[in-house]
Amino acid sequence: MITTGQKIAIRRTENSRLPGTDLDNIKFGRVFSDHMVVMDHVDGSWGAPSIVPFEKLSMSPASLVLHYGQSIFEGLKAYRSDDGSVNVFRPQANIARMNRSAQRMCMPQVPEDLFLETLIELLKVDQAWIPGGDEAALYIRPFMYASDEFIGVRPSDTYKFMIFTCPVRGYYKEPVRVRVETDYSRAFPGGTGATKCAGNYSAALYPAKLAQEQGFHQLIWTDAMTHRYIEESGTMNVFFVVDGKLLTPETSGTILEGVTRDSLIQLAERAGRPIDVRQVSVEEIRKSLEEGRLTEAFGAGTAATIAHISAISIGGEEFSLPPIEQRIVALALEKELDDIRRGRADDPYGWLVQVPA
Ligand SMILES: *Cc1c(COP(=O)(O)O)cnc(C)c1O
């Protein structure tokens, strides 16, 4: 196991909430495990990380993050295998992405080894919180925010880095109805679309709410310049199957580089499944739907893995897709990915990092 020489101080809770928690009935994102990682960046360097009971923060009303949103986050999961062992899925990819987000938002880099070491330590401390069984996992939420007490607009001098975790069951159960958005934008060239910065998500709430009022679950975002090319589906990357071939937009700064997306692309390529990673136009999707050649569509992300799309609305015209049972490609990919994460299949990519018991 990697050691950075940093000492991780651990203060354990004296009142575990686990006995009062029904791990079989949990709402996504509302139940938090007993402990969290905290590490402060002061005077240009990180202090020692510590693991402490999950507790409320106290902060100044003048904290920079509250006013200008200098804040980033990540989302990844740990999975329990049938034999009880626990693995984190591709944490290095999330750590690298968080550091890319940090750079774009003028925030300090977190040393990769230290990040991984504190994460593994946290999972060891809270391993009893990691539920077993299909669909279940421990969702891990690392984040960092600007903590200066100052209301001038400039990068903060101090930051807080934290990680907490949530036991989760399934996420979206229902297939989603989506509408292709051509008025509002999530991201634009030169913007922050490729980063998981807090502001991206608050800015997307209003367009999503309008779509929900029209009876859709989610939007499909298009490029901000022409609204002619598909980017993402809500907070997930999007895939289609047209004429039996997988299709997903290429990333070029406005699309979040999803770890799930990358994993599915690698799985498809390795298995010799036909796949195109390129610009995908709205018109191409509309025509494929009209001609019945588009048979599957789904969002891909850590929280839900795959969210099947049951209907797509384009310019007021709604197209229904075939039933979920017929989604051969999506269901096969999801199973292949899940088998690796739960230790049921080989891990030829070295995607799993085991948590020592
Ligand atoms: C996090 C996220 C994704 C999915 O990324 P994963 O690493 O697969 O979880 C896709 N799009 C957006 C906008 C996201 O924030």
Side-chain angles (χ1 to χ4, degrees):
M1 142 122 242
I2 345 90
T3 44
T4 58
Q6 276 274 21
K7 236 187 141 35
I8 305 173
I10 302 177
R11 175 162 60 86
R12 284 175 191 267
T13 180
E14 280 160 23
N15 294 299
S16 172
R17 285 174 283 103
L18 190 55
T21 305
D22 178 5
L23 285 184
D24 292 329
N25 285 296
I26 23 183
K27 281 195 174 159
F28 180 89
R30 293 205 184 272
V31 177
F32 310 106
S33 314
D34 276 332
H35 298 88
M36 61 186 189
V37 167
V38 187
M39 186 166 75
D40 288 299
H41 195 266
V42 184
D43 294 335
S45 63
W46 290 106
S50 54
I51 292 175
V52 299
F54 183 93
E55 61 198 3
K56 293 199 166 44
L57 299 167
S58 101
M59 55 164 45
S60 164
S63 289
L64 270 183
V65 62
L66 297 178
H67 303 269
Y68 312 121
Q70 202 189 3
S71 178
I72 57 177
F73 69 95
E74 268 303 327
L76 65 163
K77 277 180 178 171
Y79 299 87
R80 197 176 279 288
S81 300
D82 299 331
D83 67 5
S85 62
V86 172
N87 293 289
V88 195
F89 187 70
R90 302 190 69 182
Q92 295 93 341
N94 294 86
I95 292 170
R97 186 171 69 191
M98 183 144 168
N99 278 332
R100 293 199 297 277
S101 296
Q103 177 169 25
R104 179 64 179 81
M105 301 302 288
C106 268
M107 301 170 86
Q109 300 285 297
V110 181
E112 298 189 7
D113 288 354
L114 183 62
F115 193 142
L116 187 57
E117 198 180 330
T118 55
L119 170 60
I120 299 293
E121 208 52 45
L122 177 67
L123 298 181
K124 278 162 67 180
V125 170
D126 276 338
Q127 56 183 295
W129 284 88
I130 307 174
D134 292 343
E135 307 271 299
L138 190 76
Y139 183 84
I140 303 163
R141 171 52 59 94
F143 62 107
M144 192 202 304
Y145 65 87
S147 51
D148 274 12
E149 293 182 28
F150 177 59
I151 55 164
V153 180
R154 60 138 174 81
S156 187
D157 286 329
T158 59
Y159 296 89
K160 227 178 228 317
F161 168 81
M162 306 184 62
I163 310 174
F164 64 77
T165 67
C166 306
V168 294
R169 291 273 157 199
Y171 191 59
Y172 294 120
K173 286 284 172 221
E174 296 284 296
V176 290
R177 288 159 40 79
V178 300
R179 175 167 73 66
V180 172
E181 176 63 54
T182 51
D183 290 325
Y184 294 94
S185 301
R186 187 193 83 88
F188 47 87
T192 56
T195 72
K196 281 180 113 74
C197 67
N200 283 352
Y201 303 85
S202 41
L205 293 175
Y206 183 64
K209 183 179 127 189
L210 292 180
Q212 278 154 19
E213 284 168 5
Q214 296 162 359
F216 300 97
H217 297 96
Q218 209 32 279
L219 297 173
I220 288 196
W221 298 105
T222 51
D223 74 287
M225 309 300 276
T226 68
H227 293 298
R228 280 170 45 210
Y229 295 96
I230 301 234
E231 300 214 312
E232 301 199 48
S233 173
T235 56
M236 304 179 87
N237 294 114
V238 67
F239 287 74
F240 303 96
V241 177
V242 180
D243 294 328
K245 189 178 198 181
L246 275 161
L247 180 61
T248 192
E250 65 192 359
T251 56
S252 57
T254 52
I255 294 177
L256 199 289
E257 295 175 8
V259 177
T260 314
R261 170 187 179 278
D262 180 72
S263 305
L264 294 177
I265 292 172
Q266 289 195 48
L267 282 175
E269 284 174 346
R270 193 180 165 95
R273 282 179 197 281
I275 178 164
D276 264 350
V277 181
R278 57 164 170 81
Q279 276 200 321
V280 178
S281 75
V282 176
E283 178 52 21
E284 165 182 12
I285 294 303
R286 195 195 60 75
K287 204 154 171 292
S288 307
L289 283 162
E290 199 172 69
E291 295 170 357
R293 296 186 294 114
L294 194 157
T295 50
E296 304 184 30
F298 58 90
T302 295
T305 304
I306 279 180
H308 298 285
I309 294 172
S310 57
I312 304 179
S313 168
I314 302 177
E317 199 180 352
E318 184 161 332
F319 300 90
S320 291
L321 277 77
I324 307 308
E325 312 84 72
Q326 295 174 20
R327 309 287 178 97
I328 304 163
V329 179
L331 292 171
L333 279 176
E334 187 174 28
K335 181 172 187 313
E336 284 169 34
L337 185 57
D338 209 51
D339 283 349
I340 294 177
R341 295 186 305 206
R342 297 189 186 276
R344 292 175 186 148
D346 287 344
D347 171 25
Y349 315 88
W351 281 342
L352 303 184
V353 173
Q354 191 167 5
V355 178

